Amino acid sequence: NAGVMQNPRHLVRRRGQEARLRCSPMKGHSHVYWYRQLPEEGLKFMVYLQKENIIDESGMPKERFSAEFPKEGPSILRIQQVVRGDSAAYFCASSENYEQYFGPGTRLTVT
Amino acid sequence: QKEVEQNSGPLSVPEGAIASLNCTYSDRGSQSFFWYRQYSGKSPELIMFIYSNGDKEDGRFTAQLNKASQYVSLLIRDSQPSDSATYLCAVNIGTGFQKLVFGTGTRLLVSP
């Protein structure tokens, strides 16, 4: 039973470019969460999605960030016009009940 | 006041000892509590979760919850050097499938 999958594992973008991070939940899981971990800081909730619905986006920055979880395919976290402060590890988690299981993360570096 | 607080450590224990990790939370309505382990450069790995007051044991790990004191702890018996990692306490804010609020983690060092 495959775990949560994320790609790419490492992503380098220049300032002003777009970053697209993908997450495939564990088989049988319909809830997807995105978290961000800045260097030397804790994990911060960004957004919670179910298929075709954003349930809670209270942790998402108001501008440049968006997320989706389409009926078919992985969940996508999109960051437009990246800035150096966006450099972080972005983790996706999935659940079917209360327990959330994390993917390996995407490490975004903005140069 | 932070929603979930942990001592950043490091907590140093010798191999074979009991490591005790503590966490307090501010939201009295919190219903479920989780402990994750995170090795440097890796993703968080779920160790245990607890919903009810009291103790819950799983192998060498015991989670303890006291809702009246808003306190949750993780005990690791017979600590091994491979247990050296950062331990993250997470609290589910709300009663449904909601976001987790994480503490900043306690770094545990187990010396051989």
Side-chain angles (χ1 to χ4, degrees):
Chain A
N1 193 9
V4 180
M5 299 175 69
Q6 289 187 250
N7 67 78
R9 297 288 300 274
H10 300 275
L11 182 61
V12 180
R13 285 286 178 266
R14 291 199 181 100
R15 279 178 295 171
Q17 291 184 320
E18 178 180 288
R20 282 192 180 222
L21 287 61
R22 294 174 185 76
C23 169
S24 296
M26 285 177 77
K27 188 176 180 180
H29 286 189
S30 58
H31 306 269
V32 166
Y33 310 80
W34 286 93
Y35 294 85
R36 178 166 64 176
Q37 189 171 38
L38 292 165
E40 306 304 321
E41 291 191 18
L43 278 159
K44 301 293 185 188
F45 168 82
M46 298 182 75
V47 62
Y48 160 40
L49 309 105
Q50 294 181 27
K51 283 286 187 182
E52 300 184 280
N53 284 304
I54 297 174
I55 308 301
D56 182 345
E57 56 181 346
S58 58
M60 287 274 274
K62 293 287 187 284
E63 297 178 353
R64 303 188 297 109
F65 286 73
S66 62
E68 62 176 6
F69 189 15
K71 187 176 180 181
E72 301 291 338
S75 175
I76 306 282
L77 178 67
R78 182 181 177 208
I79 311 172
Q80 295 178 291
Q81 300 176 315
V82 296
V83 300
R84 287 227 173 102
D86 296 333
S87 295
Y90 292 82
F91 292 101
C92 165
S94 73
S95 75
E96 195 50 38
N97 294 308
Y98 291 100
E99 304 92 65
Q100 295 182 23
Y101 296 90
F102 281 77
T106 294
R107 277 147 186 87
L108 173 65
T109 301
V110 179
T111 61
Chain B
Q1 182 188 6
K2 291 183 181 177
E3 291 181 277
V4 179
E5 294 208 52
Q6 296 180 257
N7 189 319
S8 61
L11 172 66
S12 295
V13 300
E15 184 175 356
I18 296 175
S20 177
L21 303 157
N22 304 316
C23 173
T24 58
Y25 59 95
S26 60
D27 186 344
R28 285 199 169 273
S30 300
Q31 297 290 320
S32 48
F33 308 86
F34 303 83
W35 283 100
Y36 286 83
R37 176 173 63 195
Q38 187 175 27
Y39 293 108
S40 181
K42 302 295 184 182
S43 63
E45 173 192 3
L46 181 63
I47 300 175
M48 288 193 70
F49 53 90
I50 187 167
Y51 307 134
S52 304
N53 274 327
D55 295 0
K56 179 182 178 183
E57 187 174 316
D58 184 359
R60 295 188 296 115
F61 299 96
T62 298
Q64 299 174 317
L65 174 61
N66 183 326
K67 288 187 178 181
S69 300
Q70 296 175 245
Y71 176 93
V72 58
S73 65
L74 180 70
L75 301 179
I76 307 174
R77 288 182 298 281
D78 188 24
S79 296
Q80 301 297 309
S82 59
D83 294 326
S84 298
T86 296
Y87 289 80
L88 304 173
C89 172
V91 176
N92 187 322
I93 305 295
T95 57
F97 300 102
Q98 305 259 348
K99 64 185 180 184
L100 291 180
V101 178
F102 282 83
T104 52
T106 298
R107 193 155 67 98
L108 174 66
L109 297 175
V110 182
S111 53

